[in-house]
Amino acid sequence: MGNKGNLRTMLKEAGILFVITLVSGLLLGTVYELTKEPIRLQQEKAIQEACKAVFQEAETFVLTEYTLEEELAGELTADGVKAGDVYLALGADGSLLGYVLESVSTKGYGGNIVIYMGVTLEGTLNDISILEIAETAGLGMEAPKVLAPQFHDKQVESFVYTKTGAQAEEEIDAIASATITTQAVTDAVNGGLKVARALAEGGVGNE
């Protein structure tokens, strides 16, 4: 009797656990379906705001497909940079003004650093916006305030950082005691500039 009673108890508890798990799964699925669309809309809104922040002259931004040449992809990888989404920056008349590019550095001190950057067809970097960063408080986390403004309205082949004060157009003042973060942001920007040049030369968006 004792063994049968224990078996019935075990089966009963297993059944209860199954029901709880099933109900929990159904509730989670329902919550996901209810929140999926609002979350997507919020993400799209944040991206559109980031695009506008770095390319104020454009009226609309359209996500576009592109393919990087193997050589360029290899260069980016060597620098710890990933090329992300690209948006066509279009004027009020629908003409192509340039690109908004997502560029990710995988070499931040605290993880990935995600930036959006607006680049005209002529190669001018309008601005950058740092969307994701998890660096050290008071040091690398100062990048949006200290580094981002230094890239405003620059037309250079690439940037380098300096610890002794920027003297040239392509030089960026490093954040004190946060050179890893400074290097990561600079690499991400340089990678984005390379992609922008490749897109312009390939006529992406002008088809």
Side-chain angles (χ1 to χ4, degrees):
M1 288 293 293
N3 288 339
K4 290 183 178 179
N6 290 338
L7 180 60
R8 282 197 295 271
T9 300
M10 290 174 61
L11 291 173
K12 181 180 179 181
E13 291 176 348
I16 292 172
L17 182 59
F18 172 76
V19 171
I20 291 173
T21 302
L22 178 62
V23 171
S24 297
L26 291 173
L27 288 173
L28 286 173
T30 301
V31 170
Y32 171 74
E33 287 301 322
L34 289 174
T35 58
K36 179 173 64 175
E37 185 63 12
I39 290 174
R40 184 187 67 79
L41 292 175
Q42 281 296 109
Q43 290 174 335
E44 286 187 358
K45 181 182 177 182
I47 289 173
Q48 288 295 314
E49 289 176 349
C51 288
K52 191 63 177 177
V54 300
F55 215 124
Q56 297 181 17
E57 297 82 2
E59 287 293 323
T60 56
F61 303 94
V62 180
L63 183 65
T64 188
E65 295 184 359
Y66 68 100
T67 302
L68 290 182
E69 292 187 0
E70 187 175 336
E71 182 179 354
L72 176 53
E75 289 179 13
L76 297 181
T77 299
D79 291 332
V81 175
K82 294 179 181 178
D85 290 337
V86 169
Y87 293 81
L88 304 179
L90 306 177
D93 61 354
S95 61
L96 180 65
L97 303 180
Y99 309 97
V100 173
L101 308 96
E102 178 188 46
S103 187
V104 182
S105 172
T106 62
K107 293 186 176 181
Y109 187 79
N112 288 353
I113 298 176
V114 181
I115 71 168
Y116 269 56
M117 49 192 290
V119 185
T120 70
L121 293 177
E122 294 75 30
T124 298
L125 175 59
N126 292 330
D127 279 297
I128 75 165
S129 178
I130 300 176
L131 265 65
E132 294 180 25
I133 186 169
E135 303 296 90
T136 305
L139 296 174
M141 285 301 289
E142 296 296 300
K145 182 173 66 176
V146 177
L147 294 180
Q150 297 186 62
F151 293 99
H152 171 68
D153 197 27
K154 297 288 184 70
Q155 187 171 19
V156 299
E157 188 79 8
S158 61
F159 293 92
V160 294
Y161 76 84
T162 175
K163 299 179 183 179
T164 57
Q167 301 294 323
E169 188 79 353
E170 70 274 8
E171 292 184 337
I172 299 297
D173 277 326
I175 301 173
S177 302
T179 53
I180 292 178
T181 303
T182 303
Q183 181 72 69
V185 171
T186 303
D187 286 344
V189 172
N190 287 339
L193 288 176
K194 289 180 180 180
V195 174
R197 283 194 293 271
L199 295 174
E201 291 170 2
V204 174
N206 279 317
E207 295 88 346

Coordinates of all heavy atoms in Angstrom, one line a residue, residues 97-156:
L97 N 20.4 61.6 -50.4 CA 21.4 62.5 -49.9 C 22.6 61.9 -49.3 O 23.7 62.4 -49.2 CB 20.7 63.4 -48.8 CG 19.5 64.2 -49.2 CD1 18.9 64.9 -48.0 CD2 19.8 65.1 -50.3
G98 N 22.4 60.6 -48.9 CA 23.5 59.9 -48.3 C 23.0 58.7 -47.5 O 21.9 58.1 -47.9
Y99 N 23.7 58.3 -46.5 CA 23.4 57.1 -45.8 C 23.4 57.3 -44.2 O 24.2 58.0 -43.7 CB 24.3 55.9 -46.1 CG 24.5 55.7 -47.6 CD1 25.5 56.3 -48.3 CD2 23.5 55.0 -48.3 CE1 25.7 56.1 -49.7 CE2 23.7 54.8 -49.7 CZ 24.7 55.4 -50.4 OH 24.9 55.2 -51.7
V100 N 22.6 56.5 -43.6 CA 22.7 56.4 -42.1 C 23.1 54.9 -41.9 O 22.4 54.0 -42.3 CB 21.4 56.7 -41.3 CG1 21.6 56.4 -39.9 CG2 21.1 58.2 -41.5
L101 N 24.3 54.8 -41.2 CA 24.8 53.4 -41.1 C 24.9 53.0 -39.6 O 25.3 53.9 -38.7 CB 26.2 53.3 -41.7 CG 26.4 53.8 -43.1 CD1 26.9 55.3 -43.1 CD2 27.4 52.9 -43.8
E102 N 24.6 51.8 -39.3 CA 24.8 51.2 -38.0 C 26.2 50.5 -38.0 O 26.5 49.7 -38.9 CB 23.7 50.2 -37.7 CG 23.9 49.5 -36.3 CD 23.0 48.4 -36.1 OE1 22.8 47.6 -37.0 OE2 22.4 48.3 -35.0
S103 N 27.0 50.9 -37.1 CA 28.4 50.3 -37.0 C 28.6 49.9 -35.6 O 28.4 50.7 -34.6 CB 29.4 51.3 -37.4 OG 30.7 50.7 -37.5
V104 N 29.1 48.7 -35.4 CA 29.3 48.1 -34.0 C 30.7 47.7 -33.8 O 31.3 47.0 -34.6 CB 28.4 46.8 -33.9 CG1 28.5 46.3 -32.5 CG2 26.9 47.1 -34.2
S105 N 31.3 48.3 -32.7 CA 32.6 47.8 -32.3 C 32.4 46.7 -31.2 O 31.7 46.8 -30.3 CB 33.4 49.0 -31.6 OG 34.6 48.5 -31.1
T106 N 33.1 45.6 -31.5 CA 33.1 44.5 -30.5 C 34.2 44.6 -29.5 O 34.4 43.7 -28.7 CB 33.2 43.2 -31.3 OG1 34.5 43.1 -31.9 CG2 32.1 43.0 -32.3
K107 N 34.9 45.7 -29.5 CA 36.1 45.8 -28.6 C 36.0 46.9 -27.6 O 37.0 47.4 -27.1 CB 37.4 46.1 -29.5 CG 37.7 44.9 -30.4 CD 39.1 45.1 -31.1 CE 39.5 43.9 -31.9 NZ 40.8 44.1 -32.6
G108 N 34.8 47.2 -27.2 CA 34.6 48.1 -26.1 C 35.0 47.5 -24.8 O 35.1 46.3 -24.7
Y109 N 35.3 48.3 -23.8 CA 35.8 47.8 -22.5 C 34.8 47.0 -21.8 O 35.1 46.0 -21.2 CB 36.2 49.0 -21.6 CG 36.9 48.6 -20.3 CD1 38.2 48.2 -20.3 CD2 36.2 48.5 -19.1 CE1 38.9 47.8 -19.1 CE2 36.8 48.2 -17.9 CZ 38.1 47.8 -17.9 OH 38.7 47.4 -16.8
G110 N 33.5 47.4 -22.0 CA 32.4 46.6 -21.3 C 31.5 45.9 -22.3 O 30.4 45.4 -21.9
G111 N 31.9 45.7 -23.5 CA 31.1 45.0 -24.5 C 30.9 45.8 -25.8 O 31.7 46.7 -26.1
N112 N 29.9 45.4 -26.5 CA 29.7 46.0 -27.8 C 29.3 47.5 -27.7 O 28.6 47.9 -26.7 CB 28.6 45.3 -28.6 CG 29.1 44.0 -29.1 OD1 30.2 43.6 -29.0 ND2 28.1 43.2 -29.7
I113 N 29.8 48.3 -28.6 CA 29.4 49.7 -28.7 C 28.7 49.9 -30.0 O 29.3 49.7 -31.1 CB 30.6 50.7 -28.5 CG1 31.2 50.5 -27.2 CG2 30.1 52.1 -28.7 CD1 32.5 51.4 -27.0
V114 N 27.4 50.3 -30.0 CA 26.6 50.5 -31.2 C 26.5 52.0 -31.5 O 26.0 52.7 -30.7 CB 25.2 49.8 -31.1 CG1 24.5 50.0 -32.4 CG2 25.4 48.3 -30.7
I115 N 26.9 52.3 -32.7 CA 26.7 53.7 -33.1 C 25.9 53.8 -34.4 O 25.9 52.9 -35.2 CB 28.0 54.5 -33.3 CG1 28.8 54.0 -34.6 CG2 28.9 54.3 -32.1 CD1 29.9 54.8 -35.0
Y116 N 25.2 54.9 -34.6 CA 24.6 55.3 -35.9 C 25.3 56.5 -36.4 O 25.6 57.4 -35.6 CB 23.1 55.6 -35.7 CG 22.2 54.4 -35.9 CD1 22.4 53.2 -35.1 CD2 21.2 54.3 -36.8 CE1 21.6 52.1 -35.3 CE2 20.4 53.2 -37.0 CZ 20.6 52.1 -36.2 OH 19.8 51.0 -36.4
M117 N 25.5 56.6 -37.6 CA 26.3 57.7 -38.2 C 25.7 58.1 -39.6 O 25.3 57.3 -40.4 CB 27.8 57.4 -38.4 CG 28.1 56.0 -39.0 SD 29.8 55.5 -38.9 CE 30.6 56.7 -39.9
G118 N 25.6 59.4 -39.8 CA 25.1 59.9 -41.0 C 26.2 60.4 -41.9 O 27.0 61.3 -41.5
V119 N 26.3 59.9 -43.1 CA 27.3 60.3 -44.1 C 26.7 60.7 -45.4 O 25.9 60.0 -46.0 CB 28.3 59.1 -44.3 CG1 29.5 59.5 -45.2 CG2 28.8 58.5 -43.0
T120 N 27.1 61.9 -45.9 CA 26.6 62.3 -47.2 C 27.3 61.6 -48.3 O 28.3 60.9 -48.1 CB 26.9 63.8 -47.3 OG1 28.3 64.1 -47.5 CG2 26.4 64.6 -46.1
L121 N 26.7 61.8 -49.5 CA 27.3 61.1 -50.7 C 28.7 61.7 -51.0 O 29.5 61.0 -51.6 CB 26.4 61.4 -51.9 CG 25.0 60.7 -51.9 CD1 24.2 61.1 -53.1 CD2 25.2 59.2 -51.8
E122 N 29.0 62.9 -50.5 CA 30.3 63.5 -50.7 C 31.3 63.0 -49.6 O 32.5 63.4 -49.7 CB 30.2 65.0 -50.7 CG 29.4 65.6 -51.8 CD 27.9 65.4 -51.7 OE1 27.5 65.4 -50.5 OE2 27.2 65.3 -52.7
G123 N 30.8 62.2 -48.7 CA 31.7 61.7 -47.7 C 31.8 62.5 -46.4 O 32.7 62.2 -45.5
T124 N 31.0 63.5 -46.2 CA 31.0 64.3 -45.0 C 30.2 63.5 -43.9 O 29.1 63.1 -44.1 CB 30.3 65.6 -45.2 OG1 31.0 66.4 -46.1 CG2 30.3 66.4 -43.9
L125 N 30.9 63.4 -42.7 CA 30.2 62.8 -41.6 C 29.5 63.8 -40.8 O 30.1 64.7 -40.2 CB 31.3 62.1 -40.7 CG 30.8 61.5 -39.3 CD1 29.8 60.4 -39.6 CD2 32.0 61.0 -38.6
N126 N 28.1 63.8 -40.9 CA 27.3 64.8 -40.3 C 27.5 64.7 -38.7 O 27.8 65.7 -38.1 CB 25.8 64.6 -40.6 CG 25.6 64.9 -42.1 OD1 26.3 65.8 -42.7 ND2 24.6 64.3 -42.7
D127 N 27.1 63.5 -38.2 CA 27.2 63.3 -36.8 C 27.1 61.8 -36.5 O 26.8 61.0 -37.4 CB 25.9 64.0 -36.1 CG 26.1 65.5 -35.9 OD1 27.0 65.8 -35.1 OD2 25.3 66.2 -36.5
I128 N 27.4 61.5 -35.2 CA 27.3 60.1 -34.8 C 26.4 60.1 -33.5 O 26.3 61.1 -32.8 CB 28.6 59.4 -34.5 CG1 29.2 59.9 -33.2 CG2 29.6 59.5 -35.6 CD1 30.3 59.0 -32.6
S129 N 25.7 59.0 -33.3 CA 24.9 58.9 -32.1 C 25.2 57.5 -31.6 O 25.1 56.5 -32.3 CB 23.4 59.0 -32.5 OG 22.6 58.8 -31.3
I130 N 25.5 57.4 -30.3 CA 25.9 56.2 -29.6 C 24.6 55.6 -29.0 O 24.1 56.1 -28.1 CB 27.0 56.4 -28.6 CG1 28.2 56.9 -29.2 CG2 27.3 55.1 -27.9 CD1 29.4 57.2 -28.3
L131 N 24.1 54.5 -29.6 CA 22.8 53.9 -29.1 C 23.0 52.9 -28.0 O 22.1 52.8 -27.2 CB 22.1 53.2 -30.3 CG 21.1 54.1 -31.0 CD1 21.8 55.3 -31.7 CD2 20.3 53.3 -32.0
E132 N 24.1 52.2 -28.0 CA 24.3 51.2 -27.0 C 25.8 51.2 -26.5 O 26.7 51.3 -27.3 CB 24.0 49.8 -27.5 CG 22.6 49.5 -27.9 CD 22.4 48.1 -28.4 OE1 23.2 47.2 -28.0 OE2 21.4 47.9 -29.1
I133 N 25.9 51.3 -25.2 CA 27.3 51.4 -24.6 C 27.2 50.9 -23.2 O 26.2 51.3 -22.5 CB 27.9 52.8 -24.7 CG1 29.3 52.8 -24.3 CG2 27.0 53.8 -24.0 CD1 30.1 54.1 -24.6
A134 N 28.1 50.2 -22.7 CA 28.1 49.7 -21.3 C 29.6 49.8 -20.8 O 30.1 48.8 -20.3 CB 27.6 48.3 -21.3
E135 N 30.1 51.0 -20.8 CA 31.5 51.2 -20.4 C 31.5 51.6 -18.9 O 30.5 51.7 -18.2 CB 32.2 52.2 -21.3 CG 32.2 51.9 -22.8 CD 33.0 50.6 -23.1 OE1 32.4 49.5 -23.1 OE2 34.2 50.7 -23.4
T136 N 32.7 51.9 -18.4 CA 32.9 52.2 -17.0 C 32.3 53.6 -16.7 O 32.5 54.6 -17.4 CB 34.4 52.2 -16.6 OG1 34.9 51.0 -16.9 CG2 34.5 52.5 -15.1
A137 N 31.5 53.7 -15.7 CA 30.8 55.0 -15.3 C 31.9 56.0 -15.0 O 32.9 55.7 -14.4 CB 30.0 54.8 -14.1
G138 N 31.7 57.2 -15.5 CA 32.6 58.3 -15.3 C 33.8 58.3 -16.2 O 34.6 59.2 -16.3
L139 N 34.0 57.2 -17.0 CA 35.1 57.1 -17.9 C 34.6 56.8 -19.3 O 34.2 57.8 -20.0 CB 36.1 56.0 -17.5 CG 36.8 56.2 -16.1 CD1 37.6 55.0 -15.7 CD2 37.7 57.4 -16.2
G140 N 34.5 55.6 -19.7 CA 34.0 55.3 -21.0 C 32.6 55.7 -21.3 O 32.2 56.0 -22.4
M141 N 31.8 55.7 -20.2 CA 30.4 56.1 -20.4 C 30.3 57.6 -20.7 O 29.2 58.1 -21.1 CB 29.6 55.8 -19.1 CG 29.3 54.3 -18.9 SD 28.3 53.6 -20.3 CE 26.7 54.4 -20.0
E142 N 31.4 58.3 -20.7 CA 31.3 59.7 -21.1 C 31.4 59.9 -22.6 O 31.4 61.0 -23.2 CB 32.5 60.5 -20.5 CG 32.5 60.6 -19.0 CD 31.3 61.3 -18.5 OE1 31.2 62.5 -18.8 OE2 30.4 60.7 -17.8
A143 N 31.5 58.8 -23.4 CA 31.7 58.8 -24.8 C 30.6 59.6 -25.5 O 30.9 60.4 -26.4 CB 31.8 57.4 -25.4
P144 N 29.3 59.4 -25.2 CA 28.3 60.2 -25.9 C 28.5 61.7 -25.7 O 28.2 62.5 -26.7 CB 27.0 59.7 -25.3 CG 27.3 58.4 -24.8 CD 28.7 58.4 -24.3
K145 N 29.0 62.1 -24.6 CA 29.2 63.6 -24.3 C 30.5 64.1 -24.8 O 30.6 65.2 -25.3 CB 29.0 63.8 -22.8 CG 29.1 65.3 -22.4 CD 28.8 65.4 -20.9 CE 29.8 64.8 -20.0 NZ 29.6 65.0 -18.6
V146 N 31.5 63.3 -24.6 CA 32.9 63.8 -24.9 C 33.3 63.4 -26.4 O 33.9 64.3 -27.1 CB 33.9 63.2 -23.9 CG1 35.3 63.6 -24.3 CG2 33.6 63.6 -22.5
L147 N 33.1 62.2 -26.8 CA 33.6 61.8 -28.1 C 32.6 62.2 -29.3 O 33.1 62.7 -30.3 CB 33.8 60.3 -28.2 CG 34.9 59.8 -27.3 CD1 35.0 58.2 -27.4 CD2 36.3 60.4 -27.6
A148 N 31.4 61.9 -29.1 CA 30.4 62.1 -30.2 C 30.4 63.4 -30.9 O 30.5 63.6 -32.1 CB 29.0 61.7 -29.8
P149 N 30.5 64.5 -30.1 CA 30.5 65.9 -30.7 C 31.7 66.1 -31.6 O 31.6 67.0 -32.5 CB 30.4 66.8 -29.5 CG 29.8 66.0 -28.4 CD 30.4 64.6 -28.6
Q150 N 32.8 65.4 -31.3 CA 34.0 65.7 -32.0 C 34.0 65.2 -33.5 O 34.8 65.7 -34.3 CB 35.2 65.1 -31.3 CG 35.5 65.6 -29.9 CD 36.8 65.0 -29.3 OE1 37.9 65.2 -29.9 NE2 36.6 64.3 -28.2
F151 N 33.0 64.4 -33.8 CA 32.9 63.9 -35.1 C 32.0 64.7 -36.0 O 31.8 64.4 -37.2 CB 32.4 62.4 -35.1 CG 33.3 61.4 -34.5 CD1 33.2 61.0 -33.2 CD2 34.4 60.9 -35.2 CE1 34.1 60.1 -32.6 CE2 35.3 60.0 -34.7 CZ 35.1 59.6 -33.4
H152 N 31.4 65.7 -35.4 CA 30.4 66.6 -36.1 C 31.0 67.3 -37.4 O 32.1 67.9 -37.3 CB 29.9 67.6 -35.2 CG 29.0 68.6 -35.9 ND1 27.8 68.3 -36.4 CD2 29.2 70.0 -36.1 CE1 27.2 69.4 -36.9 NE2 28.1 70.4 -36.8
D153 N 30.3 67.1 -38.5 CA 30.6 67.8 -39.8 C 32.1 67.7 -40.2 O 32.7 68.7 -40.5 CB 30.2 69.2 -39.6 CG 30.1 70.0 -40.9 OD1 29.8 69.3 -41.9 OD2 30.3 71.2 -41.0
K154 N 32.6 66.5 -40.2 CA 34.0 66.2 -40.6 C 34.0 65.5 -41.9 O 33.2 64.6 -42.2 CB 34.7 65.4 -39.5 CG 34.9 66.1 -38.2 CD 35.9 67.2 -38.2 CE 36.1 67.8 -36.9 NZ 36.8 67.0 -35.9
Q155 N 34.9 65.9 -42.8 CA 35.2 65.1 -44.0 C 36.6 64.7 -44.1 O 37.5 65.5 -44.6 CB 34.8 66.0 -45.3 CG 34.8 65.2 -46.6 CD 34.2 66.0 -47.7 OE1 34.1 67.2 -47.7 NE2 33.9 65.3 -48.8
V156 N 36.9 63.5 -43.7 CA 38.2 63.0 -43.6 C 38.2 61.5 -44.1 O 37.1 60.9 -44.1 CB 38.9 63.0 -42.2 CG1 39.0 64.5 -41.8 CG2 38.1 62.2 -41.2

